[in-house]
Amino acid sequence: MTDGTAATSDLSLHDPAIAERRHLVSLAFRMLGTVAHAEGAVQETYAPWYRLTEDERSAVVSPRAWLTGASARSG
């Protein structure tokens, strides 16, 4: 039986939004004070990211900065 860590690790190598999840949850937790609210804010951050076209996402110079800004706006 596997715990899914390898699959998550492989996915995070190709998807900047998933790779930054820990950072985003940590940031949102500091802003909002609960894990539940932090998780919700991160989910709201992912929505606009995945609405971008592949070309728009690849044009983002720093996905971490873009996602951090989106997270701060959604919190």
Side-chain angles (χ1 to χ4, degrees):
M1 183 152 106
T2 63
D3 64 0
T5 1
T8 302
S9 172
D10 291 344
L11 181 60
S12 66
L13 293 174
H14 304 290
D15 190 336
I18 301 301
E20 296 299 339
R21 181 169 182 75
R22 182 175 295 203
H23 164 73
L24 296 171
V25 170
S26 178
L27 171 70
F29 177 77
R30 289 191 306 271
M31 289 172 27
L32 302 171
T34 68
V35 173
H37 287 115
E39 291 284 346
V42 170
Q43 290 305 312
E44 290 179 26
T45 299
Y46 286 159
W49 175 258
Y50 289 114
R51 276 195 294 262
L52 297 174
T53 66
E54 187 66 35
D55 288 340
E56 290 171 326
R57 273 183 268 164
S58 64
V60 173
V61 175
S62 175
R64 182 180 187 121
W66 192 98
L67 291 160
T68 298
S71 180
R73 288 185 296 276
S74 74

